[in-house]
């Protein structure tokens, strides 16, 4: 029977032991029957049917609850005991699951008679296990959860009265607007184990006693911002009953709503990681004989400071996904007053180029972060090697001669060298180090099975390649799996933050640190951020470059960070975008439009407005009202005249956007047509078409001859449009999505491969006209071209040739018009 | 016309082509454009080549490392030390235990064979932790842990103890605390060793005999000796006595400052003052005053200065008259010095700087032949090492003269090559440390000094301060004359004795002997009992105190110990006879045992001093013996008397212990230069 108690894992279990079809069915039927039984059992505890069904879906809670039930078999449960058991089952952490019988017994015996005490009991036990094999000290345990402490109504009344007295003046002044929760807190601080409802009731009675019934004023909303109408008793109860939802099986600890507006806000309000040094309280953390000592030493070295790291491989360039990692690591450290390392994970000797090192650092700094220290995994090669020797000596690692192909695949053959003598592995490992063994014919493997089933991951392999930092020192190089956690440990990282794919490596991470008896950081995972309509793989971008589809790594159609910078995305917008995505465990795929919206939010308030004509159409004003060109003062931000202004020139010849004139306007068209005038923005003129000059062959409109009226004398036109006079020519590059499909790498969506999915029109180059006022721009200067979009000066700009990139259009669909 | 035009066009076209080809050729020569030829085979071979080069570098390094390791393992290959099965004399217990436990470690942990055991004596007040402790387990645990073996120090200690061979010195060993090994000495050994002292006298611990040259005192001719020279003289003398006791062949060298430019002015002045000096010895009563006079003239009189320089040249070229004048000046000075040496009971062989005149010329040639000299602004300098860092030695001045660097180089060469000394000891103040380091290194560079066979020590010492904590001076601020200082010592010692009314007990001869013993003893002892590397405060009041670690206290204590056998009413003049009459040293009483163990430390102390040349350890040992003895004497009757003062019982074994104590102290006193007197 007990085999199938675990509903979720029972399938795996069965597969292993009854690998026939018949037993499958048997198991399925059986588990359905089990569920029926469970349902009634749970309901017997006092749950509603709905709640019981929900609970069964949560394998973990169900398992715990069943364990508790098996403890109390045949005992009649007192009032409320069932729900306390449920509360306990939903909150108990795996580290202290062995103490479940104890807590269950205490609940049944009514020693723990409310959620407060149950929580205190669990907290005590969790703290206690930091020392491995520690025995629960019954006396301390009882004390810390207030077993047997009875708070009499008289005691409550007396304490409440005392505290009401303290606040009497304020109470009389503010009456019912006084925040009674404060008194509640004070009383609870004094009488830790007092029943919350009784305290609340006592307070209400005492206040009523003092103030009498509520007057009309009392019922009005409070005069100032103080809107907090506290209902402490109910909120406490709510919290405890909702706690079931918070018991996540993975180390992802996030509130229900995911995002925030800025990273600082996100880290402050939405992320709940452990406090440094309380590693042992996190789910899945493995406690050994050394944990307590190592954590103590760790705290001594860090002073309790949060330490994170951003560990990119220095063999490519950073993309939007990295932005999330940078923001989480640097942002979390910053929000806690901690520090964040920039660690180049340079364990792989191949293809590490200086430009990548510089580029990574530049991008981190561009996003506004400063690494506490810049380190390299290769700094630790010697230590990593010595630790590998220690592992061999302990019989935890061995030299294996299986080829890479033999180790791959679904069910690889177990290594025949797994049990070779320690001395032999030591000698062979030294030979590997000394270059005596051919590349590919020996690896060092750890005796460990990963969650995903991978057996004995490789820790070291031979590569006869010089390393750009260690030169000819090594020809064995450690793997990511081996290096990563050990470098974290060396740097005393408190929170090793990584993407969800690495959740399955967490156990090997902990195993390795514990095997070496070194400080073990806590790994927390968050979901990857994927961008649709693009790809970020280094190899594939390189392919795009060699195929001349894009120009370079920073082509603004890509989503590398350098590309985004070049396109004109402000760093702040990228950071805020990451904040909006949150730090949930879920993998997120978003369209570029989400990021663009964040960019607009920033540029809208920071990019000054300019009049620019992308595709010019010449207009001659036959009755130009001035005898020479006149200068017009134009505000940078029309909504905010205080934010400065610039001057533009108005002359007899002006240029407007070609698309702002139509020979055959459709219904509802508001701009210039043969019989429809239009206003020139900021110029104070309304123009009327008098003559259209066309190319006789193509019918293309070449020039318009117009009459103009001063705006105050003319009827108000339906629209105002942008224009320029005596302009200078600039180059404008307009970008569109590079791929036609959402997931260009998905062969279901794009059978021909990503190269077949290129949007041929992703780049268009225009020769456009701007006012002379724009002749002195600097690279990365950003403007809003009125009625068109946001633009940024491209690094290709020279003194005589200005190039603008369109960052984003004004509205989401502006690009399509 | 048109043909000319077309010709011109054709020609310019050809010129253009030529220019184009020329640039192409240039580019090809530079290799431009060639790298784009991405031949797959070529790239593959290039990668392969990089890999092979890398592997080759790794293999070469591994070979080098292995060769080094083999070289050193050959040396490390541990041969257990042979230890004697019986020991009947005083030996260095620490050395014995180090060997014993080093062997045990090698047996218990063959991988770590050769790791030397760490042995330290246990403070007598903590006797329950044994007499000595082996503290190796902690560091071994660390070494093992680094090699991946986790073993608690206590387990390691237990394994070592299991492997300790039986020793005639060790009664038992036990593991205590975190992994300390406590060693308890065997009483049998103590009894045998002490009987051996009584039969054969105090013998030094065994050691390899060496030829040692001690350069000490070394005052300058024509100048007064001052307290700095006093320190060098006292420390140097004691070091010589210690090394001689240990059996070394000791050369006591007084490196007199008897050469140099100052002699020019002295000779010139002598010629003026005593024109007849060639025929009769000039009566220079006060050489100091004579020196001052000549110096004054030298500084003020240009004419005199020129003559003085001239005299130097004459002297160095061996001019007979100048040499005679020089000899006369030196003689006066040397006689002055000798008086002081006699008072302090110091023996020295004068080998002054002048002795090296010819050798300086030689050494310059020698260094030049080895290409070690460099021209520098007219001077010839030598760097102490290849890196040309630090301060160079000036071997030849721009005027062709020599410097201290030259004479010291000549001296070190003479001492090592001609005197065949193996061990050089320079007893010179701490200020000379850099200079001496330079000399050793330069000598090593020149192939004169070989650290593998030679040892050189700078026995440095700090300055002497007055009681005011400032540099030791007379009240009027002048340098204290050494003879005056000794005179004052005598006076103070006498005052002290009179204060104690010793004049009423002692005969005038005895009183004088006591006075000198106390006076010179306390000056020497005060100097030696301080760690020489520190500065020390010279205070007659302190050194004449009869309590604490002072010469006076020790001299009294010694006299008292000697008087015990004298007053017991039996004849203890022939100790061998008494021992043969089956008188046994028992060491039953705890204080007897403690005293015996203290005495047995004597060889350890000497071995330690022969390594660090810090004599204050010996003073501390004397003081410890004296205090432990008085503990013993307070607790254990040697002579039992009845109420009327008649001797009832003589505890002969204990009196033998007193005699052994006296013998050890006497030997220590000799090394320290203390002269015990029978009555005080």
């Amino acid at each position: 029977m007990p085999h199938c108690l675990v509903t979720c894992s029972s399938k795996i279990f069965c597969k292993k032991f009854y690998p026939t079809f018949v037993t499958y069915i048997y198991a399925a039927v059986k588990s359905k029957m089990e569920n029926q039984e469970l349902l009634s059992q749970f309901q017997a505890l006092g749950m509603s049917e709905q709640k019981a069904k929900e609970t069964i879906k949560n394998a973990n809670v169900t398992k715990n609850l069943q364990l508790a039930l098996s403890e109390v078999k045949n005992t009649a449960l007192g009032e409320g005991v069932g729900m306390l058991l449920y509360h306990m089952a939903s909150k108990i952490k795996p580290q202290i699951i062995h103490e479940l019988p104890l807590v269950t017994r205490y609940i049944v015996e009514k020693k723990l008679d409310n959620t407060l005490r149950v929580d205190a009991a669990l907290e005590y036990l969790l703290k206690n296990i930091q020392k491995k094999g520690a025995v629960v000290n019954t006396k301390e345990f009882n004390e810390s959860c207030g077993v047997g402490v009875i708070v009499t109504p008289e005691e409550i009344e007396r304490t409440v009265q005392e505290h009401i007295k303290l606040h009497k003046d304020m109470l009389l002044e503010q009456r019912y607007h006084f925040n009674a929760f404060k008194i509640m807190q004070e009383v609870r601080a004094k009488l830790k184990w007092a029943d919350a409802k009784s305290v609340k009731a006592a307070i209400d009675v005492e206040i009523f006693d003092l103030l009498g019934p509520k007057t009309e004023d009392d019922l009005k909303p409070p005069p100032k911002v103080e809107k907090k109408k506290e209902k402490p008793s109910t909120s406490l109860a709510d919290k405890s009953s909702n706690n079931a939802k918070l018991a996540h099986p993975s180390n992802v600890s996030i509130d229900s709503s995911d995002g925030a507006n800025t990273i600082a806000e996100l880290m402050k309000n939405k992320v709940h990681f452990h406090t440094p040094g309380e590693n042992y309280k996190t789910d899945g953390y493995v406690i050994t004989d050394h944990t307590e000592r190592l954590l103590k030493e760790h705290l001594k070295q860090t002073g309790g400071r949060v330490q994170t790291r951003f560990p990119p491989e220095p063999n490519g360039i950073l993309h939007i996904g990295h932005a999330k990692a940078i923001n989480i690591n640097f942002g979390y450290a910053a929000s806690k007053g901690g520090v964040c390392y920039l660690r180049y994970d340079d364990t792989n000797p191949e293809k590490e180029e200086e430009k990548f090192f510089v580029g990574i650092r530049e991008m981190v700094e561009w996003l506004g972060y400063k690494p506490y220290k810049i380190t390299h995994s290769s700094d630790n090669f010697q230590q990593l090697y010595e630790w590998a020797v220690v592992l061999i000596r302990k019989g935890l690692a061995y030299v294996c001669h299986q080829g890479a192909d033999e180790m791959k695949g679904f069910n690889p053959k177990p290594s025949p060298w797994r049990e070779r003598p320690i001395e032999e592995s030591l000698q062979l490992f030294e030979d590997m180090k000394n270059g005596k063994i051919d590349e590919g014919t020996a690896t060092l493997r750890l005796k460990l099975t990963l969650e995903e089933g991978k057996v004995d991951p490789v820790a070291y392999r031979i590569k006869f390649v010089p390393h750009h930092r260690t030169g000819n020192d090594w020809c064995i190089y450690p793997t990511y799996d081996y290096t990563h956690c050990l470098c974290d440990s060396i740097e005393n990282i408190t929170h090793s933050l990584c993407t969800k794919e690495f959740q399955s490596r967490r156990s090997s991470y902990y195993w390795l640190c514990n095997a070496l008896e070194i400080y073990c950081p806590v790994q927390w995972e968050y979901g990857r951020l994927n961008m649709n309509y693009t790809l970020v793989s280094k190899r594939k971008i390189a392919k795009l470059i060699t195929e001349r589809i894009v120009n370079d790594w920073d082509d603004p159609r890509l989503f590398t960070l350098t590309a985004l910078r070049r396109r004109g995305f402000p760093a702040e917008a990228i950071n805020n975008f990451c904040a909006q995505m949150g730090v949930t465990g879920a993998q997120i795929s978003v369209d570029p439009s989400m990021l663009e919206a964040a960019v607009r939010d920033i540029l809208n308030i920071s990019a000054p407005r300019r009049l620019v004509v992308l595709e010019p159409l010449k207009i001659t004003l036959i009755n130009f009202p001035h005898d020479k060109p006149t200068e017009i003062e134009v505000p940078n931000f029309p909504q905010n005249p205080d934010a400065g202004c610039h001057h533009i020139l108005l002359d007899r010849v002006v240029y407007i956007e070609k698309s702002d004139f139509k020979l055959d306007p459709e219904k509802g068209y508001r701009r210039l047509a043969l019989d429809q005038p239009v206003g020139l923005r900021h110029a104070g003129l309304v123009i009327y078409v008098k003559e259209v000059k066309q190319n006789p062959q193509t019918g293309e409109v070449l020039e318009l001859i117009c009459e103009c009226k001063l705006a105050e004398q003319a009827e108000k036109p339906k629209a105002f449009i942008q224009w320029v006079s005596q302009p200078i020519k600039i180059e404008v590059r307009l970008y569109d999505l590079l791929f036609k499909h959402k997931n260009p790498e998905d062969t279901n969506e794009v059978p021909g491969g990503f190269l077949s999915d290129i949007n041929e029109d992703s780049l268009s180059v225009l020769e456009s006209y701007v006012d002379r006022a724009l002749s002195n721009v600097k690279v990365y200067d950003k403007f809003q071209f009125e009625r068109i979009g946001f633009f940024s000066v491209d690094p290709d700009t020279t003194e005589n040739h200005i190039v603008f990139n369109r960052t984003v259009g004004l509205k989401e669909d502006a690009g399509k018009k | 016309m048109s043909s000319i035009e077309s010709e011109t066009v054709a020609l310019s076209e050809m010129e253009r082509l030529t220019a184009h080809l020329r640039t192409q050729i240039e580019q090809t020569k530079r290799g431009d454009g060639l790298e784009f030829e991405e031949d797959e085979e070529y790239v593959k071979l290039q990668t392969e080549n990089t890999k092979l080069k890398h592997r080759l570098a790794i293999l070469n390094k591994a070979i080098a490392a292995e060769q080094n390791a083999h070289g050193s393992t050959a040396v490390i290959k541990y041969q257990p030390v042979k230890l004697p099965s019986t020991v009947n004399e005083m030996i260095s217990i620490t050395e014995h235990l180090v060997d014993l436990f080093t062997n045990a470690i090698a047996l218990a942990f063959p991988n770590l064979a050769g790791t030397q055991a760490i042995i330290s004596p246990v403070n007598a007040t903590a006797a329950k932790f044994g007499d000595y402790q082996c503290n190796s387990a902690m560091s071994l645990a660390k070494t093992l842990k680094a090699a991946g073996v986790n073993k608690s120090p206590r387990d390691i200690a237990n394994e070592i103890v299991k492997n300790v061979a039986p020793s005639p010195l060790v009664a038992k060993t036990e593991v205590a605390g975190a992994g300390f090994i406590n060693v308890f000495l065997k009483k049998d050994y103590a009894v045998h060793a002490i009987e051996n002292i009584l039969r054969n006298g105090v013998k030094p611990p065994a050691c390899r005999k060496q030829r040692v040259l001690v350069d000490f005192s070394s005052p300058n001719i024509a100048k007064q000796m001052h307290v700095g020279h006093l320190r060098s003289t006292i420390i140097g003398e004691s070091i010589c006595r210690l090394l001689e006791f240990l059996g070394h062949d000791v050369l006591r060298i007084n490196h007199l400052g008897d050469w140099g430019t100052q002699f020019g002015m002295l000779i010139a002045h002598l010629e003026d003052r005593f024109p007849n000096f060639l025929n009769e010895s000039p009566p220079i009563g006060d050489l100091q005053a004579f020196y001052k006079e000549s110096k004054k003239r030298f500084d003020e009189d240009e004419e005199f200065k020129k003559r003085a320089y001239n005299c130097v040249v004459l002297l160095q070229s061996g001019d007979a008259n100048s040499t005679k004048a020089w000899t006369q000046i030196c003689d006066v000075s040397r006689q002055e010095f000798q008086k002081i040496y006699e008072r302090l009971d110091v023996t020295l062989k004068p080998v002054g700087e002048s002795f090296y005149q010819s050798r300086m010329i030689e050494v310059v040639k020698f260094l030049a032949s080895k290409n070690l000299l460099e021209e520098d602004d007219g001077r010839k300098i030598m760097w102490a090492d290849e890196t040309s860092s630090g301060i160079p030695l000036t071997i030849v001045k721009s005027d062709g003269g020599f410097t201290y660097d030259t004479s010291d180089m000549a001296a070190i060469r003479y001492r090592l090559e001609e005197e065949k000394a193996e061990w050089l000891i320079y007893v010179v103040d701490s200020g000379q440390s850099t200079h001496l380091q330079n000399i050793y290194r330069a000598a090593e560079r020149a192939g004169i000094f070989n650290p593998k066979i030679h040892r050189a020590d700078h026995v440095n010492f700090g300055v002497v301060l007055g009681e005011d904590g400032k540099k030791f001076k007379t009240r009027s601020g002048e340098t204290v004359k050494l003879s005056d200082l000794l005179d004052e010592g005598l006076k103070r010692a006498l005052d002290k004795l009179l204060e104690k009314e010793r004049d009423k007990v002692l005969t005038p001869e005895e009183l004088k002997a006591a006075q000198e013993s106390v006076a010179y003893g306390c000056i020497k002892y005060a100097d030696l009992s301080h760690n020489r590397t520190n500065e020390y405060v010279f205070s007659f009041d302190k050194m004449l105190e009869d309590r604490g670690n002072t010469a006076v206290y020790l001299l009294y204590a010694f006299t008292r110990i000697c008087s015990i056998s004298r007053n017991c009413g039996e004849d203890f003049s022939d100790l061998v006879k008494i021992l043969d009459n089956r008188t046994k040293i028992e060491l039953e009483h705890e204080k007897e045992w403690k005293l015996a163990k203290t005495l047995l430390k004597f060889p350890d102390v000497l071995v330690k001093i022969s390594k660090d040349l810090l004599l204050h350890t010996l003073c501390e040992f004397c003081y410890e013996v004296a205090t432990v003895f008085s503990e013993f004497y307070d607790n254990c009757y040697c002579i039992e008397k009845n109420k009327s003062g008649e001797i009832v019982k003589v505890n002969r074994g204990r009196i033998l212990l007193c005699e052994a104590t006296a013998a050890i102290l006497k030997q220590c006193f000799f090394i320290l230069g203390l002269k015990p007197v029978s009555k005080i």
Side-chain angles (χ1 to χ4, degrees), chain A residues 221-339:
Chain A
K224 274 174 195 167
V225 209
E226 265 187 291
K227 270 206 257 173
K228 283 184 199 163
K229 266 265 178 165
E230 292 292 343
K231 280 191 280 174
S233 57
T234 48
S235 77
L236 267 173
D238 285 351
K239 228 183 196 171
S240 48
S241 60
N242 280 341
N243 270 333
K245 287 177 197 155
L246 292 176
H248 284 268
S250 74
N251 260 358
V252 176
S253 189
I254 313 290
D255 274 359
S256 42
S257 67
D258 303 335
N261 289 327
T262 64
I263 288 292
E265 209 179 287
L266 179 76
M267 293 304 166
K268 206 172 140 222
N269 301 327
K270 304 286 177 185
V271 178
H272 308 290
F273 295 144
H274 70 282
T275 311
E278 293 191 348
N279 300 22
Y280 60 92
K281 287 191 180 174
T282 58
D283 285 340
Y285 198 76
V286 182
I287 289 141
T288 71
D289 293 339
H290 306 283
T291 303
E292 192 185 12
R293 172 178 58 83
L294 291 169
L295 286 177
K296 233 178 239 167
E297 285 168 12
H298 161 75
L299 280 180
K300 210 169 150 194
Q301 280 165 28
T302 61
R305 181 170 69 175
V306 165
Q307 306 204 144
T308 57
R309 82 286 170 274
F310 170 58
E313 275 187 75
N315 60 357
I317 84 169
L318 302 184
H319 54 73
I320 185 71
H322 289 117
K324 182 173 180 181
I326 293 172
N327 271 298
I328 290 176
N329 278 298
F330 281 94
Y332 183 66
S335 76
K336 297 287 169 188
V339 297

Side-chain angles (χ1 to χ4, degrees), chain A residues 128 240 317 329 363-364 378 391 443 514 524 747 771 787:
Chain A
N128 192 50
S240 48
I317 84 169
N329 278 298
M363 283 304 107
V364 169
S378 59
L391 289 172
T443 54
N514 289 332
W524 293 89
T747 44
D771 190 89
R787 296 189 59 240

Side-chain angles (χ1 to χ4, degrees), chain B residues 91-275:
Chain B
I91 61 168
S92 167
I93 296 171
T94 305
E95 284 191 339
H96 176 84
L97 293 179
V98 167
D99 291 343
L100 187 70
F101 279 90
T102 303
N103 284 352
I105 290 171
L107 278 175
F109 304 98
N111 288 342
L112 301 176
T115 310
Q116 202 176 46
I118 305 161
I119 301 289
S120 54
V122 174
N123 195 315
T125 51
K128 65 170 175 167
F129 297 125
D131 305 312
Y132 288 81
Q133 236 173 26
C134 170
N135 300 334
S136 291
M138 291 64 185
S139 60
L140 288 176
K142 267 186 206 155
T143 319
L144 286 172
K145 191 169 180 189
V149 181
N150 251 341
K151 243 187 186 147
S152 78
R154 212 182 150 93
D155 291 347
I156 292 170
N158 279 321
E159 287 190 40
I160 296 174
V161 166
K162 264 186 236 154
N163 286 287
V164 173
S167 154
L169 271 61
V170 178
K172 62 166 178 172
T173 51
E174 60 182 32
V175 175
F180 302 98
I181 304 171
N182 295 336
V183 182
F184 295 83
L185 288 182
K186 228 182 219 174
K187 280 187 187 162
D188 272 1
Y189 160 67
V191 170
H192 290 314
I194 289 170
E195 282 184 8
N196 192 292
I197 296 175
L198 297 171
R199 283 178 193 274
N200 304 317
V202 181
K203 293 278 182 262
C207 68
R208 192 171 70 84
K209 311 287 177 253
Q210 282 178 289
R211 188 163 165 86
V212 193
L213 187 142
V214 186
D215 171 338
F216 68 108
S217 196
S218 309
N220 287 321
I221 294 289
K223 290 191 201 163
Q224 278 286 346
M225 262 169 118
H226 54 77
V227 283
H229 295 116
L230 179 67
R231 285 211 88 175
S232 174
T233 310
I234 291 172
I235 295 169
E237 173 67 25
S238 278
I239 285 176
C240 291
R241 290 182 180 208
L242 173 82
L243 297 177
E244 280 159 353
F245 176 61
L246 288 172
H248 294 298
D249 178 10
V250 180
L251 295 161
R252 303 152 158 264
I253 299 300
N254 198 356
H255 191 69
L256 289 165
D258 61 359
W259 207 239
T261 43
Q262 80 268 30
F263 282 96
M265 74 186 188
L266 288 171
I267 294 168
H269 191 54
L270 187 74
E271 286 169 346
D272 293 350
R273 281 281 305 277
F274 306 101

Side-chain angles (χ1 to χ4, degrees), chain A residues 63-80:
Chain A
K63 194 178 91 187
N64 293 342
L65 207 46
Q66 280 181 312
L67 274 173
L69 282 172
S70 66
E71 284 293 319
V72 300
K73 232 177 255 169
N74 305 329
T75 323
L77 300 180
E79 164 113 32

Side-chain angles (χ1 to χ4, degrees), chain A residues 211-504:
Chain A
L211 304 175
K214 287 187 180 177
T215 65
E216 223 163 274
D217 276 348
D218 294 332
L219 294 169
K220 281 183 195 162
K224 274 174 195 167
V225 209
E226 265 187 291
K227 270 206 257 173
K228 283 184 199 163
K229 266 265 178 165
E230 292 292 343
K231 280 191 280 174
S233 57
T234 48
S235 77
L236 267 173
D238 285 351
K239 228 183 196 171
S240 48
S241 60
N242 280 341
N243 270 333
K245 287 177 197 155
L246 292 176
H248 284 268
S250 74
N251 260 358
V252 176
S253 189
I254 313 290
D255 274 359
S256 42
S257 67
D258 303 335
N261 289 327
T262 64
I263 288 292
E265 209 179 287
L266 179 76
M267 293 304 166
K268 206 172 140 222
N269 301 327
K270 304 286 177 185
V271 178
H272 308 290
F273 295 144
H274 70 282
T275 311
E278 293 191 348
N279 300 22
Y280 60 92
K281 287 191 180 174
T282 58
D283 285 340
Y285 198 76
V286 182
I287 289 141
T288 71
D289 293 339
H290 306 283
T291 303
E292 192 185 12
R293 172 178 58 83
L294 291 169
L295 286 177
K296 233 178 239 167
E297 285 168 12
H298 161 75
L299 280 180
K300 210 169 150 194
Q301 280 165 28
T302 61
R305 181 170 69 175
V306 165
Q307 306 204 144
T308 57
R309 82 286 170 274
F310 170 58
E313 275 187 75
N315 60 357
I317 84 169
L318 302 184
H319 54 73
I320 185 71
H322 289 117
K324 182 173 180 181
I326 293 172
N327 271 298
I328 290 176
N329 278 298
F330 281 94
Y332 183 66
S335 76
K336 297 287 169 188
V339 297
C340 182
Y341 287 87
L342 168 58
R343 184 199 308 146
Y344 292 112
D345 189 15
D346 58 353
T347 48
N348 194 340
E350 277 153 302
K351 283 188 214 150
E352 275 151 356
E353 287 179 43
E354 186 64 23
K355 69 170 181 184
F356 294 135
F357 280 88
V358 177
I360 287 170
R361 185 179 175 176
E362 208 179 291
M363 283 304 107
V364 169
E365 283 167 359
W366 177 59
L367 289 181
Y369 295 111
K370 186 154 174 38
Y372 166 64
K373 259 183 199 162
I374 295 179
T375 58
H376 299 78
S377 295
S378 59
D379 295 343
N380 302 318
F381 275 174
Q382 182 62 32
Q383 177 67 72
L384 295 175
Y385 171 75
E386 284 166 20
W387 277 337
V389 172
V390 171
L391 289 172
I392 300 174
R393 276 190 208 282
K394 287 185 159 191
L396 298 174
Y398 63 96
V399 172
C400 171
H401 304 287
Q402 282 184 314
D405 293 334
E406 281 179 277
M407 290 187 234
K408 265 191 214 152
F410 176 63
N411 223 344
K413 213 173 88 198
S415 172
W417 287 278
R418 201 171 199 269
E419 301 305 330
R420 78 188 329 161
I422 287 174
E423 286 304 321
E424 198 175 291
S425 277
L426 278 176
Q427 183 60 51
L428 285 168
F429 188 50
E430 199 183 323
D431 291 349
M432 281 169 69
K433 186 191 92 152
N434 287 339
K436 291 192 197 169
I437 302 181
D438 283 344
E439 203 170 294
T441 58
T443 54
L444 185 75
R445 295 176 72 177
L446 306 172
K447 286 191 190 171
L448 152 83
T449 304
L450 300 178
E451 282 103 322
E452 61 202 13
K454 190 174 165 58
V455 175
D456 293 1
V458 170
Y460 270 92
R461 63 262 198 252
I462 301 169
K463 281 189 179 177
F464 290 115
V465 180
H467 188 277
H468 77 113
R469 291 191 81 239
T470 61
N472 281 339
D473 287 353
W474 301 93
C475 65
I476 50 169
Y477 291 99
T479 56
Y480 172 88
D481 278 336
Y482 179 73
T483 311
H484 186 70
C485 55
L486 300 182
C487 289
D488 277 356
S489 178
I490 289 170
E491 287 173 4
N492 265 313
I493 298 303
T494 53
H495 301 74
S496 178
L497 308 171
C498 61
T499 51
K500 204 69 193 280
E501 301 92 274
F502 293 99
Q503 194 174 327
S504 64

